[in-house]
Amino acid sequence: MSDHATTAPSGDLCIRTLAMPADTNANGDIFGGWLLSQMDVGGGVFASKVAKSRTVTVAIEAMNFRKAVYVGDLVSVYANLVRVGRTSLTVHLEAWALRRGEQYPFLVTDGNFTYVSIDEHGRPQAVRATDTTIAT
């Protein structure tokens, strides 16, 4: 087994996007807030699929910014279900970047995001049963 196989993305691919010049901070690197928002969008897609309803973000915890993202990097966000409560679910999200000219992606950011299932009036509702596996 090669080295990259032990550090490859796992979980559901939720979003893939290209880091663009408009997304940079004053130092020319991709702004951390942009990366966090991409993770939240991807996590929201995953949470809505699991909950079978509209969801809203209520908490972000344990964010780890591991490596810088640069203009031109292809950023992919992967989700794993951590916990399902009565009205909420916690999702572990990982952002991986693939740099131009490189063969394997690398982990740039990860963290746990909590979403609440809401009804058509914006009130919390019970998460519906799901067949999505919970990460161990």
Side-chain angles (χ1 to χ4, degrees):
M1 185 182 271
S2 60
D3 255 356
H4 79 277
T6 57
T7 58
S10 67
D12 285 18
L13 174 63
C14 299
I15 192 170
R16 180 171 280 156
T17 189
L18 192 63
M20 300 295 284
D23 306 319
T24 58
N25 59 24
N27 299 317
D29 302 327
I30 295 301
F31 177 55
W34 176 85
L35 187 55
L36 185 118
S37 73
Q38 298 305 307
M39 293 175 74
D40 193 28
V41 167
V45 167
F46 179 81
S48 289
K49 181 176 88 171
V50 171
K52 297 180 178 73
S53 70
R54 184 173 163 212
T55 59
V56 292
T57 310
V58 294
I60 299 172
E61 60 178 294
M63 284 296 297
N64 302 298
F65 289 92
R66 299 172 185 279
K67 295 192 177 182
V69 175
Y70 301 120
V71 171
D73 286 354
L74 184 62
V75 176
S76 301
V77 176
Y78 295 84
N80 283 290
L81 187 60
V82 174
R83 183 190 71 79
V84 177
R86 194 180 74 73
T87 62
S88 68
L89 51 124
T90 301
V91 179
H92 182 75
L93 296 168
E94 295 182 350
W96 291 72
L98 180 61
R99 207 144 276 156
R100 238 179 322 217
E102 292 190 10
Q103 194 172 4
Y104 302 109
F106 53 93
L107 181 64
V108 291
T109 309
D110 68 307
N112 291 333
F113 288 57
T114 301
Y115 300 89
V116 167
S117 174
I118 59 172
D119 65 18
E120 63 276 359
H121 303 291
R123 291 185 291 247
Q125 67 179 358
V127 173
R128 298 184 188 127
T130 182
D131 56 2
T132 305
T133 9
I134 296 179
T136 54

